Amino acid sequence: MSLEEKLAQLGSHWFDRRGAGEVVAPMQDTFGARRPDFATASRHGLGHLTRVLGTEPVPADEGRAKLACTQRELVAHHRLGLPAIAHEECLTGVTSYGATVYPTPLAWGAAFDPELVHQVGSAIGRDLRRLGVHQGLGPVLDVVRDYRWGRVEETVGEDPYAVATITTAYVRGMEEQGVVATLKHFVGYSASRGGRNHAPVSVGPRELADVLLPPFEMAVREGGARSVMNSYADLDGEPVAASASLLTGLLRDTWGFEGTVVSDYWAVAFLATAHGVAADAADAGARSLRAGMDVELPNTMCFGELAPLVRDGRLDEALVDRAVRRVLLQKAQLGLLDAPAADGTPPGGAPDDDPIDLDPPANRDLARRLAEESVVLLANPDGVLPLDARPGRSLRRVAVVGPSAADPGVLLGCYSYPIHVLPRHPELGMGVDVPSLLDALRAELTGVEVVHEPGCAVVDDDRSGFDAAVRAARDADVCVLTVGDRAGMFGRGTSGEGCDAADLRLPGVQHELVEAVLATGTPVVLVVVSGRPYALGAYTGRTAAVVQAFMPGEEGAGAVAGVLSGRVTPSGKLPVQVPRDPGGGPQTYLGAPLTRRLDRISNLDPSPAFPFGHGLSYTTFRYEDLTVAAGPVPTDGSFEVGVTVACTGERGGTEVVQLYLSDPVADVAQPVRRLAGYVRVPLAAGESRRVTFTVPADVTAYTGADLVRVVDPGTIGVQVGGSSEGDDVLRAQVELTGPRRRPGADRALRTTATVTDAP
C-alpha cells in the first residue's frame, strides 16, 4: 500500500454537508465546509463510512441500497477494492428512519436486568447487520458524577458496578451478532467541572481507577468489545485524544485490548481548535496517532494531512502501519476482505432483496418489557396507586395535567432518531408509533373520565395555562401531574448532549405548576419523565404518590400507564439518587464519610430525597436469614453471602436484591457503601427464594495510597436489601485474612448470584 492508501484507511467520509444555521452540532458547519466530496475523499480508499443511514430519513430498504451502492462505488474505483466499515449510532436503537426506539440507558439502569439489555443489544446488532452496518457507536459507559450534565440520560447510572455489568451485557449482545460495539466515552467525560459539556475534568487518579474505568475494563475483558471511542475531555490538562498512557498504556498494554480506537467526532481536530495542544491539523493528527488513535471520525481532517510529516521524518511511518494493521484486521474479521457475493453484493454487505422492518413486534415487545421494568415507584404513602384498586372509593374522573402528558416526544432520548434527526423533517412525524402518556392512560382507565390540561410547556415562562390546569385538578378524584424533560441537542432541549442544567429544579415554570396543583387538595400522583433526576424534596410528604420514568422509549407510555393502573407491578430501582434540594451540591451516593451529613459540620443536608437503589412495589418483601462466610476468608479467595427474600403481600412482584460492601478501615477514604452485586427475583404472593452471592475478594479491592490497587486483610461490611438505605437492610461482616494482595490485570471483576428455593 502507498502512504496515501494507508492514511485513507485511517479516516472516514460523511455525506452530511449541512451549513450554518441548520440543526447541527457546534462547529459542524465550519468543519463541514472543509469536507471534500466523496470521489475526492475516497480516491485512495476509505476506512469508514459515517452514518449513511442516520443522516437523512429514508425507508430502511432505500437506506440499505444507498449504503450498498456506496460500497460498490468504493470497491470499483479503488485500486485495492477495499470496502469501508460503515458505522452508525445505536444508543436507543438503530439510528435509522422507522427503527424501534428503546428506553434510554438510564432506564436500563433502573431495570437492573442485564439479560434483558443483552437481548436489546442483540436485536439492535441484528438490525444493523441487515442494513449492512458493521459498527455501532455504543454503548455509553460513563459513570454519572454530576446530575446537571446533559448526557446523564445516555448513561446507565452512578454506580460503576451497575454500569459495568449492564453495558457489558449490551456489548455481548451486539458483538454476538457480528457487529463491532464501540465503548463511549473513554474516559472521564461525565466528570466535567460543573456538569458542563466538554468542560475540563479534574478527577484524581484514584477516582479515575475506582469509579470511571471499571466499566470499560469489564466491557473489554468480558464483553469482547472491538472498538473504543475517546472522551472529548482533558484529564488534568491532558486531552484523552492525545493520551498515550490511556489509549496505549492502559487500554492495550494492561487490559490487552486488540481492537480499534476511533475518535469521537472532530476530537482529533479539537486538539488544535479547542484544547490548544496542537499547532494545526497535521500536528493534531500526529499527536493523536502517536498516542494510539487508529481512526479519525467523522471525516479525515487531520490524519489526511500526515503524509508530509511522514516523508520528512517528523512522524514514524511505523505508527501509520500500526493503525492500518488494526483497521485491516477488523475489516477481515467483518468479512470485508472476502470476495463479493454471487449477486454482486460487496463483501460484508447486506442482500438487497430481503425486505426490512426495523420496528417489528418482537422489537416492540423487548422495548415494552424493558420500559415496564424500568419504571420506579418512589412513593405511595396513602396507597393511592394503583388507580384500579382503591378500596372503598369510586374513581370517576382523573385529571391528567402537565407538559409531559400529550407529547410523545418526552418519552424518547436525545440520540433516538425522532429526536436526533427528524426535527429537521417535521412532515415525517415520529417515523414509528409512539403513543403519548395521555393516550395510554385513556386506553388503560376504561370507564373513567380522563380530562387533560397541559398547564405549561416543558420549558418557557408562559403561565397562562395554570388556571385551567388547577380547575381540572380541583374537579377530579385524582390528578396525574406529569413533569420532566424533552430531549434535544445543544440547547434545543432540557436533556441530552449540550443540554446541561444550571441546577436541579424542574425546567421552566413546572415547579410553579406543581405547587399550584398541590394547593388544590386533590390527591396528586406526580409522574416525572426525565433524562436526569430532579430535586423532589419540596414535594415529598405532599404528594399522594411519585413515579419516576427515565425516557422509557416508544412503548414507555403504556409502561407508565400500566404502573399507574396496576396492570404492571413496579419493579424498577433508582440507578441515581433523587436529590432533595436543587442547588445543594449535586453528588452521587458513592461518597466517603465526609460527604455525608455530620453533626454541626455544615448547615446543608446532602442526603437525597430518595436514595440509590430505592424503588417500591404494590406488594411487600421481607429479608431474613442473612449468612456470610463462617470463618476468615483469604485475600485471594472468595466468600458467600446468603439471604432469603419473601413476598409478603397479597400480589406477586419482582424484587431487585442488592448487595453492598464497605471497608470501614482502609488506607484511603472509601465510600460508605458501594454496590457489589444484584439480582432480580420474581416472587409469587407468599413465595420465598434464597439468594446466594459469591464474592471474590478481588471485588473488595481499591486503589491505595501508593495508587496501586490492593486487597486488604481486615473487616469488610456486608449489607443486603432492596435499596442502599432503608428499613429492610440486613448487615453483617466478613474477615479477610492473609497477606495484602495487589491483584493484577486478570483480577476478578464481578460477583455471581444464584437464586434457589428457600429451605
Side-chain angles (χ1 to χ4, degrees):
M1 300 175 74
S2 69
L3 177 59
E4 284 75 15
E5 288 172 335
K6 288 189 282 191
L7 290 174
Q9 292 298 310
L10 308 185
S12 189
H13 179 75
W14 196 1
F15 288 91
D16 184 23
R17 303 183 67 84
R18 283 168 286 160
E22 298 190 57
V23 185
V24 296
M27 295 175 281
Q28 181 174 334
D29 54 339
T30 303
F31 289 138
R34 308 177 198 172
R35 297 176 196 160
D37 59 24
F38 178 67
T40 302
S42 63
R43 66 187 183 278
H44 298 296
L46 204 56
H48 272 240
L49 286 168
T50 295
R51 304 198 62 194
V52 174
L53 292 101
T55 300
E56 293 296 331
V58 295
D61 295 335
E62 185 178 333
R64 175 182 58 188
K66 177 182 178 182
L67 177 54
C69 180
T70 303
Q71 294 279 30
R72 289 189 183 97
E73 182 179 349
L74 185 60
V75 169
H77 292 89
H78 176 230
R79 181 178 70 89
L80 299 176
L82 300 178
I85 295 172
H87 73 257
E88 190 51 78
E89 298 284 0
C90 60
L91 189 67
T92 58
V94 178
T95 311
S96 181
Y97 183 63
T100 304
V101 181
Y102 296 93
T104 56
L106 199 57
W108 308 355
F112 280 91
D113 192 344
E115 178 51 41
L116 185 53
V117 172
H118 173 266
Q119 294 177 46
V120 169
S122 182
I124 292 172
R126 185 166 52 250
D127 286 343
L128 286 170
R129 281 311 299 252
R130 294 181 66 202
L131 291 166
V133 176
H134 312 102
Q135 181 164 347
L137 303 187
V140 169
L141 288 80
D142 295 300
V143 179
V144 174
R145 302 303 282 165
D146 191 323
Y147 307 136
R148 296 172 297 181
W149 190 50
R151 304 189 79 166
V152 168
E153 64 168 72
E154 299 180 44
T155 74
V156 168
E158 66 184 56
D159 180 87
Y161 186 81
V163 175
T165 50
I166 292 169
T167 56
T168 296
Y170 179 92
V171 168
R172 284 193 295 104
M174 181 171 288
E175 290 281 357
E176 287 167 3
Q177 296 299 322
V179 173
V180 175
T182 308
L183 311 183
K184 300 164 59 174
H185 306 89
F186 184 76
V187 59
Y189 192 23
S190 58
S192 57
R193 293 179 189 168
R196 185 175 65 81
N197 199 39
H198 286 223
V201 172
S202 300
V203 299
R206 189 168 293 104
E207 182 179 351
L208 183 68
D210 292 351
V211 177
L212 301 178
L213 283 171
F216 293 93
E217 182 178 5
M218 185 179 288
V220 167
R221 288 182 48 201
E222 295 187 6
R226 288 181 286 171
S227 189
V228 171
M229 175 178 280
N230 74 284
S231 160
Y232 284 128
D234 69 62
L235 301 182
D236 194 26
E238 182 184 40
V240 176
S243 175
S245 63
L246 287 171
L247 300 186
T248 298
L250 178 64
L251 185 60
R252 295 190 184 277
D253 297 343
T254 301
W255 292 350
F257 177 69
E258 296 180 346
T260 57
V261 178
V262 302
S263 80
D264 206 341
Y265 286 13
W266 303 293
V268 178
F270 284 166
L271 295 177
T273 63
H275 293 290
V277 299
D280 51 30
D283 187 26
R287 288 175 182 269
S288 190
L289 188 71
R290 290 189 189 104
M293 190 74 71
D294 299 313
V295 179
E296 181 184 7
L297 303 180
N299 292 93
T300 318
M301 293 181 57
C302 300
F303 283 4
E305 303 294 322
L306 294 179
L309 276 67
V310 172
R311 290 200 167 96
D312 66 16
R314 286 179 289 167
L315 179 66
D316 188 348
E317 190 168 357
L319 295 172
V320 176
D321 293 344
R322 178 182 70 176
V324 173
R325 189 176 297 110
R326 292 167 181 164
V327 173
L328 293 178
L329 177 61
Q330 197 152 92
K331 287 189 175 185
Q333 292 171 345
L334 291 166
L336 292 172
L337 304 188
D338 298 344
D343 63 358
T345 300
D352 290 344
D353 58 355
D354 177 22
I356 298 179
D357 179 2
L358 293 179
D359 192 31
N363 281 13
R364 294 196 71 104
D365 182 62
L366 278 176
R368 175 192 59 78
R369 290 162 55 200
L370 186 53
E372 289 178 352
E373 289 187 2
S374 72
V375 178
V376 186
L377 177 61
L378 296 179
N380 191 27
D382 302 323
V384 167
L385 294 180
L387 294 176
D388 71 345
R390 299 178 355 110
R393 291 173 288 179
S394 174
L395 185 65
R396 299 174 295 103
R397 178 182 297 166
V398 172
V400 180
V401 170
S404 301
D407 179 5
V410 303
L411 304 167
L412 311 182
C414 170
Y415 267 80
S416 66
Y417 202 85
I419 302 299
H420 198 69
V421 176
L422 292 182
R424 305 196 305 271
H425 306 274
E427 73 281 2
L428 296 178
M430 290 285 184
V432 289
D433 180 24
V434 187
S436 71
L437 179 57
L438 179 62
D439 293 334
L441 278 170
R442 282 178 168 154
E444 198 81 36
L445 301 177
T446 56
V448 176
E449 181 184 5
V450 176
V451 297
H452 168 59
E453 290 291 343
C456 65
V458 168
V459 54
D460 64 26
D461 59 359
D462 184 0
R463 301 168 177 81
S464 61
F466 277 23
D467 288 345
V470 166
R471 285 195 300 272
R474 185 179 293 123
D475 294 340
D477 299 308
V478 172
C479 176
V480 175
L481 177 53
T482 65
V483 296
D485 282 317
R486 199 181 200 282
M489 294 284 286
F490 303 106
R492 290 182 285 270
T494 61
S495 175
E497 184 172 5
C499 296
D500 309 317
D503 57 42
L504 296 172
R505 294 177 178 87
L506 289 168
V509 295
Q510 292 182 80
H511 168 69
E512 296 176 41
L513 177 65
V514 174
E515 290 290 351
V517 172
L518 286 173
T520 65
T522 298
V524 173
V525 176
L526 184 66
V527 178
V528 185
V529 182
S530 63
R532 63 165 61 85
Y534 283 102
L536 303 182
Y539 317 131
T540 56
R542 303 167 61 201
T543 51
V546 183
V547 172
Q548 172 72 60
F550 293 112
M551 293 181 174
E554 67 183 26
E555 290 285 334
V560 175
V563 166
L564 295 178
S565 73
R567 174 177 56 82
V568 176
T569 300
S571 62
K573 301 282 187 175
L574 285 175
V576 287
Q577 294 190 127
V578 171
R580 184 178 303 278
D581 301 310
Q587 64 177 21
T588 73
Y589 92 105
L590 283 176
L594 284 182
T595 65
R596 302 307 172 105
R597 186 171 190 178
L598 299 175
D599 187 32
R600 296 186 300 279
I601 292 294
S602 172
N603 61 307
L604 298 179
D605 182 2
S607 60
F610 300 100
F612 177 88
H614 171 77
L616 304 177
S617 178
Y618 292 148
T619 190
T620 54
F621 303 99
R622 183 180 66 246
Y623 288 81
E624 57 192 5
D625 192 21
L626 176 65
T627 60
V628 296
V633 176
T635 53
D636 62 353
S638 63
F639 58 93
E640 289 189 348
V641 177
V643 70
T644 297
V645 58
C647 180
T648 55
E650 296 181 355
R651 62 191 293 176
T654 296
E655 174 71 324
V656 180
V657 179
Q658 302 163 46
L659 167 69
Y660 295 85
L661 300 180
S662 60
D663 192 343
V665 181
D667 278 358
V668 296
Q670 289 295 290
V672 174
R673 63 185 65 85
R674 58 185 177 89
L675 187 69
Y678 61 89
V679 63
R680 290 178 61 89
V681 182
L683 294 164
E687 185 182 14
S688 298
R689 300 283 277 170
R690 185 71 179 172
V691 177
T692 302
F693 294 103
T694 302
V695 187
D698 285 0
V699 172
T700 72
Y702 65 92
T703 301
D706 58 359
L707 298 182
V708 177
R709 184 172 279 110
V710 62
V711 177
D712 271 341
T715 301
I716 296 296
V718 175
Q719 173 184 308
V720 180
S723 172
S724 62
E725 302 177 20
D727 296 336
D728 63 348
V729 168
L730 302 180
R731 293 180 173 86
Q733 294 180 341
V734 64
E735 292 293 324
L736 298 185
T737 61
R740 198 174 207 224
R741 281 186 58 245
R742 299 184 184 277
D746 60 347
R747 68 188 178 106
L749 299 176
R750 70 164 74 217
T751 294
T752 59
T754 57
V755 181
T756 57
D757 293 336

